[in-house]
Amino acid sequence: MCGIVGYLGPKPAYPILIDGLKRLEYRGYDSAGVATLETDGELRIEKKQGKVANLESHIGANLPQGTVGIGHTRWATHGPPSDVNAHPHAGGKGRIAVIHNGIIENYEALRGLLTHRGHDLVSETDTEVLAHFIEEVQTSTGLDLPDAVRTALKEVIGAYALVVLDQTQPDRLIAARKSSPLVIGVGQDNEFFVGSDATPIVAHTKNVVYLEDEEVATMTRSGELTIRTISDAAVTPAIQAIELEIASLEKAGYDHFMLKEIFEQPKSIRDSIRGRVRLQSGEVHMSGIDDHWDVWSKAQRILILGCGTSWHAGLVAEYLFEGLARIPVEVEYASEFRYRNPIVRNSDVVIAISQSGETADTLAAIRLAKEHGAHVFGVCNVVGSSIARETHAGAYTHAGPEIGVASTKAFTAQVAVLTVMAMHLGKRLGTLDDATFMRLMTGLDNIPGLVQKVLNNAAPVEHIAEKFARAENALYLGRGFQFPVALEGALKLKEISYIHAEGYPAAEMKHGPIALIDEAMPVVFIATQDEVYEKVVSNIQEVKARGGQILAVVTEGDTKVRSLVDHVVEIPKVHNALAPLLTVVPMQLLSYHIALMRGCNVDQPRNLAKSVTVE
Ligand code: F6R
């Protein structure tokens, strides 16, 4: 979603803000803007629809010079992308400027109140309402800025991460959060940085403070950081060191972040299982489970919550946990779970899966599960994220920063961690026999090398992409462990190439989707050799009989499917529980190449945002 950056210190703010905005463009990118307090006391606001580059050319050579400022990349919620709706927004007197991520739910009521009091609002955004409201509170009460912000926020319903700059206070910057993440970087020489995540901060400092819900921070030029809650309790800032390396935020010679992240998977899977899979001692370790064994050993049900690609990883986990640990599993869209009065018992264990750890629906769903007394385990990629902090226990995925909007390495890292969890549970509960456990352990340890092999042999995928690039629809079919991969393949294609694609369990095809099949319909089958292989072969026959163009992902050496279909991509033979870690890779590459051939922006597909921090 929207990206936030802020700076207060001895240096010119603008280069820091622009660099931060470029790093944040992956979150949301329909407009961008900056506000700085200039040396002559002017509050200078510059904003432009489109990419950060548009903002830069709009500003031209007349660069802002102030040493305090805020910047924002917008992902539109209230009002379409436009110069006027872009952030920062000024209050009515043009004295304060506000940037905001989130949604103010009572903005219409506040807007009515402000209009009644003579405020003239020029944009359609909830953020401008916030700017006017803070200014109104400050003017009418005479409160100091931090107190005025806290007083105003008491009346605000909704989610926000915001930063306020006041023309009359060149030595202070105010930041606040509720349900949307906000990080403060504490630099050398009394410098402060603010970010909606750590990416715009890490080039300057690794010391950060994560603001908690309903906290308002005041940063001063003399290096003081004070935090008070909205209800006026003092909070001692907890400074933490982050491990993020700036190199991990660069493309490292690849044309796109997505391609880099696809090729990073041998490493990201290895990092995610390192220390957990111990081949020499024949053990797997998962302290997040062991530390709460009393709960896990009695779990009657596992409830998995997530959205999008993380939900697909949850579907793979359903097969893993039921198959290896024999615990019933339900996988829920977090967004549906939270609004349907779900039945959650304290004998349930909830697993929340999220790359960003900030997805608003998933966060709200785990809060609900906790209220019902469930033990909640997080599988997150971003260290220190809200979901990681709000769960009772968890396991990080160690995939490293994922910048491409379409999730790739996060998925395989999630599946790898969930596999270790299911193996560990199966072993401890006695539902997984030693021979299968050892086979899975060795198999999992080999997966990074085999993913590398799939990547090394991936050249044909680009040629196959040429055949499919002009399609307007596509079907992805798989069974068992490969059904979630079919869903994930279809999601990847629609996200970045804008081709309408559907994933189905292969056997469901005859209950409806088969009506769509003709010569113009590409059908992607995941037809690896497992217990449903022959069934999938029959499904392939059904599509072939109706003239569909078929690409099949098959096990190395397969001849039967090869003889039936138009194109094949081979993957090495592995245990069927591990196969999704390999079969998803050609799906990712196929989407990537098709999107490139269609001239789409692979890393920043239209309308999408990386971290979905609004409902
Ligand atoms: C798909 C994609 C999204 C995310 C979803 C959940 O490529 O990136 O579908 O998977 O928004 O995000 P996280 O995992 O951050 O909770």
Side-chain angles (χ1 to χ4, degrees):
M1 301 268 114
C2 308
I4 282 179
V5 58
Y7 177 74
L8 171 66
K11 300 181 192 129
Y14 179 71
I16 294 167
L17 299 178
I18 281 290
D19 177 64
L21 291 182
K22 286 181 184 161
R23 292 191 187 282
L24 284 168
E25 263 194 316
Y26 78 102
R27 289 174 63 105
Y29 28 77
D30 56 45
S31 49
V34 290
T36 46
L37 279 186
E38 294 301 280
T39 34
D40 61 0
E42 178 204 0
L43 173 61
R44 180 172 170 191
I45 299 181
E46 303 287 357
K47 48 193 193 170
K48 209 68 201 152
Q49 184 180 343
K51 304 256 171 220
V52 175
N54 285 11
L55 174 68
E56 280 186 291
S57 39
H58 161 73
I59 290 174
N62 180 18
L63 300 182
Q65 300 297 325
T67 54
V68 57
I70 55 182
H72 190 267
T73 50
R74 176 170 187 252
W75 186 84
T77 55
H78 295 65
S82 67
D83 292 355
V84 73
N85 285 336
H87 300 208
H89 287 283
K93 299 188 189 339
R95 202 185 66 224
I96 71 163
V98 174
I99 51 174
H100 160 233
N101 185 9
I103 289 183
I104 306 303
E105 287 169 17
N106 61 338
Y107 90 105
E108 279 181 357
L110 293 174
R111 192 183 187 102
L113 181 110
L114 290 163
T115 315
H116 184 69
R117 296 207 182 151
H119 285 254
D120 188 14
L121 291 116
V122 294
S123 81
E124 293 160 76
T125 64
D126 51 346
T127 307
E128 191 189 12
V129 170
L130 204 53
H132 278 250
F133 188 55
I134 291 170
E135 206 181 70
E136 169 73 26
V137 170
Q138 197 189 14
T139 316
S140 58
T141 59
L143 286 168
D144 193 21
L145 182 64
D147 293 331
V149 171
R150 287 192 299 105
T151 305
L153 291 179
K154 280 183 191 155
E155 305 301 320
V156 167
I157 300 170
Y160 50 78
L162 58 92
V163 192
V164 185
L165 184 61
D166 184 332
Q167 187 177 30
T168 63
Q169 316 230 345
D171 298 332
R172 290 207 292 195
L173 205 51
I174 313 293
R177 89 156 253 184
K178 183 176 178 192
S179 299
S180 271
L182 204 61
V183 189
I184 294 174
V186 182
Q188 307 265 306
D189 306 326
N190 300 337
E191 273 182 310
F192 289 106
F193 306 85
V194 186
S196 41
D197 61 37
T199 47
I201 295 177
V202 70
H204 310 286
T205 177
K206 297 219 166 153
N207 295 327
V208 299
V209 175
Y210 292 97
L211 273 198
E212 299 291 345
D213 272 358
E214 305 212 342
E215 288 182 357
V216 180
T218 306
M219 293 151 269
T220 71
R221 209 175 272 285
S222 53
E224 284 157 27
L225 171 62
T226 20
I227 302 180
R228 299 193 81 79
T229 63
I230 289 175
S231 48
D232 206 20
V235 176
T236 310
I239 299 181
Q240 310 180 21
I242 40 167
E243 284 178 16
L244 199 59
E245 291 301 329
I246 195 76
S248 65
L249 304 173
E250 315 279 353
K251 285 191 200 147
Y254 285 90
D255 290 340
H256 298 97
F257 280 110
M258 183 180 177
L259 191 63
K260 175 189 171 221
E261 288 158 9
I262 291 172
F263 275 82
E264 275 175 350
Q265 290 177 108
K267 178 176 184 306
S268 52
I269 296 172
R270 171 68 64 213
D271 289 347
S272 298
I273 61 171
R274 178 172 292 117
R276 292 170 173 158
V277 173
R278 301 186 186 171
L279 214 48
Q280 287 195 331
S281 59
E283 291 169 347
V284 292
H285 282 248
M286 193 45 79
S287 57
I289 291 181
D290 291 338
D291 294 347
H292 298 270
W293 186 244
D294 52 327
V295 190
W296 282 94
S297 60
K298 293 193 218 86
Q300 296 297 307
R301 179 176 74 147
I302 296 175
L303 197 55
I304 300 182
L305 304 173
C307 301
T309 290
S310 295
W311 183 76
H312 295 157
L315 290 179
V316 178
E318 180 175 20
Y319 289 86
L320 289 166
F321 285 110
E322 291 198 340
L324 306 182
R326 306 303 297 150
I327 304 175
V329 178
E330 277 173 49
V331 189
E332 296 256 8
Y333 284 115
S335 53
E336 284 301 307
F337 174 82
R338 58 184 290 204
Y339 285 117
R340 65 166 184 75
N341 192 13
I343 298 170
V344 186
R345 302 187 189 93
N346 56 11
S347 56
D348 289 334
V349 172
V350 172
I351 301 177
I353 308 175
S354 175
Q355 188 285 126
S356 62
E358 300 295 350
T359 300
D361 286 320
T362 312
L363 196 52
I366 64 170
R367 286 177 183 156
L368 184 66
K370 279 167 74 181
E371 276 168 27
H372 284 73
H375 176 77
V376 184
F377 186 99
V379 176
C380 293
N381 193 39
V382 177
V383 176
S385 55
S386 302
I387 295 175
R389 286 181 291 137
E390 291 202 21
T391 39
H392 296 112
Y396 281 118
T397 46
H398 303 304
E402 191 179 64
I403 308 288
V405 164
S407 192
T408 53
K409 64 174 180 171
F411 174 80
T412 45
Q414 288 165 345
V415 172
V417 167
L418 290 160
T419 308
V420 179
M421 288 173 68
M423 288 168 59
H424 189 55
L425 276 177
K427 176 90 175 165
R428 280 201 73 171
L429 293 171
T431 51
L432 181 59
D433 64 82
D434 287 349
T436 313
F437 176 82
M438 282 313 293
R439 212 177 129 215
L440 282 169
M441 193 154 78
T442 318
L444 190 54
D445 192 62
N446 286 336
I447 286 289
L450 297 180
V451 171
Q452 189 61 57
K453 189 172 172 193
V454 174
L455 291 167
N456 294 347
N457 298 336
V461 178
E462 193 169 346
H463 301 300
I464 298 166
E466 275 170 30
K467 312 276 180 211
F468 288 2
R470 272 159 296 283
E472 286 312 319
N473 298 285
L475 265 183
Y476 284 70
L477 303 171
R479 298 181 79 152
F481 276 102
Q482 302 304 341
F483 161 54
V485 178
L487 293 179
E488 177 60 8
L491 179 64
K492 289 288 88 86
L493 188 69
K494 57 190 154 198
E495 279 183 299
I496 60 169
S497 72
Y498 317 139
I499 294 175
H500 170 239
E502 296 293 340
Y504 269 95
E508 268 298 300
M509 182 189 59
K510 57 186 174 294
H511 298 292
I514 198 163
L516 295 168
I517 292 172
D518 62 14
E519 303 71 37
M521 173 67 92
V523 183
V524 180
F525 270 98
I526 303 138
T528 43
Q529 278 164 6
D530 51 29
E531 65 270 22
V532 286
Y533 175 71
E534 292 298 341
K535 309 274 177 210
V536 177
V537 172
S538 307
N539 301 140
I540 291 175
Q541 297 275 22
E542 289 156 11
V543 172
K544 190 176 157 64
R546 287 156 183 88
Q549 296 179 55
I550 307 176
L551 159 64
V553 177
V554 299
T555 308
E556 244 166 27
D558 182 290
T559 50
K560 193 187 273 186
V561 171
R562 185 181 283 271
S563 69
L564 292 174
V565 304
D566 304 281
H567 314 281
V568 293
V569 176
E570 289 191 334
I571 61 133
K573 172 97 185 128
V574 289
H575 189 292
N576 61 356
L578 303 175
L581 291 163
L582 301 183
T583 51
V584 76
V585 176
M587 305 286 113
Q588 299 165 343
L589 285 168
L590 183 71
S591 308
Y592 172 79
H593 290 300
I594 290 178
L596 270 193
M597 286 167 196
R598 290 168 71 96
C600 301
N601 185 336
V602 172
D603 281 336
Q604 298 173 357
R606 71 182 177 208
N607 303 340
L608 289 176
K610 186 67 187 159
S611 179
V612 186
T613 52
V614 295
E615 276 193 45

